[in-house]
Amino acid sequence: MTDDKDVLRDVWFGRIPTCFTLYQDEITEREAEPYYLLLPRVSYLTLVTDKVKKHFQKAMRQEDVSEIWFEYEGTPLKWHYPIGLLFDLLASSSALPWNITVHFKSFPEKDLLHCPSKDAVEAHFMSCMKEADALKHKSQVINEMQKKDHKQLWMGLQNDRFDQFWAINRKLMEYPPEENGFRYIPFRIYQTTTERPFIQKLFRPVAADGQLHTLGDLLKEVCPSAVTAEDGEKKNQVMIHGIEPMLETPLQWLSEHLSYPDNFLHISIVPQSTD
Amino acid sequence: MEDEFFGEKSFQHYCAEFIKHSQQIGDGWEWKTAKDCSDGYMCKTQFQIKNGTTTSHRGTPASVHTCLPTEENLELTVDDSEVMESAAASQVIKYEYHVVYSCSYQVPVLYFRASFLDGRPLALKDIWEGVHECYKTRLLQGPWDTITQQEHPILGQPFFVLHPCKTNEFMTAVLKNPQKINRNVNYITSWLSIMGPVVGLNLPLSYAKATSQDE
């Protein structure tokens, strides 16, 4: 029987084989070969693509290089979304490797946030963590931590150090013994078919009668159109970290074990795969 | 969901009251419902002339009219002498201000973006230049966090955000006194009158009088 803690490791070490190709209109001085890389599902594009940037910049002139940005099948990729979320939402039904196009000019100002440095990724990551704890513990746990604990969370993510990260993150997964879970569950539900980038609402893990709410309960409440099957046929897949958890899974358990490092459950609703 | 310190229903109620007064004085605020109709936000578009030659200009030159929110009936009246002085260096900047509710922190959040009329967006450093000196120092100290770029939670586009993590603290102080003497306070009016001026958004005084008269 798999230990629950193994789930934490499996989530952390998930990888997506990716092929980076330079956009054909970029001006190069020599041929730029595609670059292959295993991307960590739980990290962020601009955090893990230094080698990609260096590889393509070698083929270009300095003056033709501006802020790097990534695109998949014409869609600019939001670096501030975890990599695994982007893949599940946009490319999970396509064959591997994930083919990403690299750009160095014409930054899409209306679609993407700028990422001037690693500090921007850290600021965004910490901001997500703080928001998650605001929902789970009214910010009490994260505010009680020292600055060095916050730093350790970030360094753990940046350097792919599971133990370093979870030494601190486990505190964010605790709750008072008299309760049955967090105050509210940090979650975001994404669908490519809506203009709204994601659905996020207040949702308790435990019902008034003490029953644990399930993933199915959450979807029925905040996103009913995504799961109700009018003709009995399943329209969509509900995906987290590339898998479809059973709708009967308690939301509290999902929050403790399948959250991303930012402590949010990032859930993708994608059309049912035909193969 | 239950109403907490400042629940979403309260937010929508105060925004509706605020917009009522805005309509009375032609201040341009309106409510936008999200496409899926589940919630919305309050917004206003404002056009300002940025004088390219000065470094210490204020966010809102007195001679610029606040325009109607739609670009089709854009009417920009500028004092002739202003035009002569600033010549080719002045540019029209379109500012959009959105008041969005954060259910995580249960407070309103001010999102804004600015662009030239040709659509080119202003960068963060340009935004910073438009912030008055006295606010700059305070911004860097708090209770406001500095201005950061974030994704608008309903539109999904990049906006700048002035999001203080200590809103509850200073708003509690702001609300406590009038409540003591049984005066009605519109949370949104009070909050926006504190946050807005930092990023060039000013509220005519009549908003304060409107609150205590209504209800």
Side-chain angles (χ1 to χ4, degrees):
Chain A
M1 174 85 154
T2 317
D3 193 32
D4 276 0
K5 289 208 168 53
D6 291 342
V7 175
L8 301 180
R9 279 192 181 269
D10 288 342
V11 166
W12 181 272
F13 291 107
R15 296 287 186 265
I16 297 170
T18 308
C19 173
F20 290 92
T21 307
L22 187 65
Y23 181 56
Q24 59 196 13
D25 287 359
E26 299 287 336
I27 304 159
T28 52
E29 292 201 306
R30 54 190 136 266
E31 180 84 37
E33 294 281 319
Y35 190 88
Y36 290 83
L37 190 60
L38 283 174
L39 296 179
R41 275 181 162 275
V42 301
S43 191
Y44 301 91
L45 278 172
T46 45
L47 196 58
V48 298
T49 49
D50 280 347
K51 290 197 175 136
V52 178
K53 193 161 75 161
K54 283 200 179 80
H55 168 81
F56 289 114
Q57 281 177 342
K58 273 197 295 212
M60 300 171 69
R61 290 180 311 177
Q62 180 67 339
E63 57 261 38
D64 295 325
V65 172
S66 192
E67 183 171 356
I68 193 172
W69 57 279
F70 305 97
E71 159 248 310
Y72 173 69
E73 293 193 343
T75 304
L77 296 178
K78 298 181 179 181
W79 65 262
H80 68 287
Y81 284 8
I83 291 167
L85 167 63
L86 290 169
F87 178 79
D88 288 344
L89 192 62
L90 302 172
S92 52
S93 56
S94 301
L96 296 172
W98 187 16
N99 286 300
I100 292 182
T101 308
V102 182
H103 293 257
F104 285 101
K105 57 180 190 351
S106 306
F107 191 88
E109 303 278 352
K110 289 215 156 71
D111 300 301
L112 298 184
L113 302 180
H114 283 280
C115 189
S117 66
K118 295 268 189 315
D119 290 346
V121 189
E122 180 179 3
H124 167 70
F125 175 71
M126 290 312 301
S127 160
C128 289
M129 292 211 81
K130 287 182 179 163
E131 183 176 349
D133 203 55
L135 290 166
K136 291 201 275 188
H137 304 115
K138 289 200 211 178
S139 302
Q140 279 160 9
V141 178
I142 199 143
N143 284 346
E144 259 167 27
M145 287 180 180
Q146 296 176 346
K147 253 201 164 14
K148 68 177 176 72
D149 293 333
H150 292 175
K151 255 312 177 187
Q152 187 168 332
L153 288 167
W154 167 246
M155 298 303 288
L157 177 70
Q158 187 180 27
N159 301 325
D160 194 23
R161 300 279 304 278
F162 176 85
D163 292 316
Q164 185 183 38
F165 178 80
W166 274 98
I168 309 293
N169 199 53
R170 62 178 183 80
K171 297 186 213 169
L172 294 165
M173 293 301 181
E174 291 168 353
Y175 49 87
E178 61 269 21
E179 312 286 343
N180 280 326
F182 306 134
R183 184 157 191 262
Y184 296 111
I185 299 291
F187 73 89
R188 287 187 178 163
I189 299 176
Y190 304 79
Q191 273 180 285
T192 52
T193 51
T194 57
E195 183 190 83
R196 180 188 287 264
F198 53 79
I199 297 170
Q200 181 181 344
K201 295 208 166 116
L202 295 180
F203 193 85
R204 294 197 190 276
V206 191
D209 60 4
Q211 291 267 26
L212 289 175
H213 279 136
T214 64
L215 177 59
D217 293 333
L218 174 69
L219 294 167
K220 228 190 315 187
E221 175 72 27
V222 309
C223 194
S225 56
V227 279
T228 39
E230 288 152 5
D231 50 359
E233 240 185 80
K234 186 157 147 288
K235 290 188 296 174
N236 295 309
Q237 289 179 294
V238 179
M239 200 176 282
I240 315 176
H241 297 296
I243 60 162
E244 285 190 79
M246 292 185 355
L247 296 182
E248 295 83 4
T249 314
L251 202 56
Q252 176 66 28
W253 187 91
L254 284 174
S255 184
E256 289 175 42
H257 296 86
L258 255 66
S259 288
Y260 280 76
D262 63 4
N263 280 226
F264 268 86
L265 276 171
H266 295 285
I267 303 167
S268 300
I269 310 280
V270 292
Q272 181 67 44
S273 180
T274 45
D275 50 39
Chain B
M1 273 296 143
E2 74 215 46
D3 250 349
E4 300 284 343
F5 172 80
F6 183 62
E8 185 148 17
K9 286 209 164 60
S10 297
F11 168 75
Q12 291 179 352
H13 166 74
Y14 286 127
C15 284
E17 292 296 309
F18 182 91
I19 288 169
K20 248 191 241 163
H21 183 73
S22 169
Q23 285 165 345
Q24 284 168 4
I25 63 171
D27 196 30
W29 285 93
E30 52 180 17
W31 181 261
K32 287 261 161 81
T33 309
K35 283 240 170 84
D36 52 17
C37 289
S38 60
D39 58 8
Y41 55 92
M42 195 170 79
C43 71
K44 174 180 177 176
T45 301
Q46 188 169 291
F47 293 86
Q48 295 169 4
I49 288 194
K50 175 175 160 163
N51 190 332
T53 53
T54 48
T55 49
S56 59
H57 70 285
R58 293 212 60 218
T60 317
S63 60
V64 176
H65 279 247
T66 302
C67 300
L68 297 171
T70 56
E71 285 188 53
E72 284 85 352
N73 37 17
L74 161 60
E75 281 172 60
L76 187 64
T77 317
V78 177
D79 195 350
D80 273 19
S81 60
E82 280 272 323
V83 177
M84 298 288 274
E85 278 168 27
S86 33
S90 73
Q91 292 163 304
V92 178
I93 314 266
K94 172 184 166 188
Y95 280 83
E96 288 172 74
Y97 298 97
H98 291 208
V99 177
V100 189
Y101 181 72
S102 160
C103 63
S104 302
Y105 293 107
Q106 308 202 312
V107 291
V109 183
L110 184 58
Y111 289 76
F112 64 98
R113 64 181 172 186
S115 58
F116 298 101
L117 287 183
D118 61 8
R120 272 179 307 134
L122 258 69
L124 186 52
K125 65 174 178 63
D126 301 321
I127 302 280
W128 262 113
E129 274 166 33
V131 174
H132 200 283
E133 277 310 310
C134 72
Y135 290 118
K136 268 192 205 163
T137 332
R138 285 159 73 186
L139 264 184
L140 296 171
Q141 288 171 0
W144 301 272
D145 292 333
T146 50
I147 300 170
T148 56
Q149 200 189 29
Q150 285 181 36
E151 181 183 48
H152 190 293
I154 297 175
L155 298 179
Q157 293 168 8
F159 271 72
F160 293 109
V161 180
L162 184 60
H163 183 182
C165 47
K166 297 202 166 63
T167 300
N168 276 344
E169 281 179 35
F170 71 76
M171 283 309 294
T172 308
V174 164
L175 294 173
K176 232 192 326 192
N177 276 332
Q179 279 166 358
K180 271 194 211 151
I181 54 175
N182 216 15
R183 249 181 66 195
N184 285 312
V185 178
N186 183 320
Y187 184 109
I188 290 297
T189 305
S190 306
W191 170 81
L192 201 50
S193 67
I194 297 170
M195 309 297 289
V198 180
V199 290
L201 177 65
N202 295 300
L203 293 193
L205 285 177
S206 63
Y207 277 104
K209 286 183 270 182
T211 306
S212 45
Q213 271 162 18
D214 294 341
E215 300 169 47

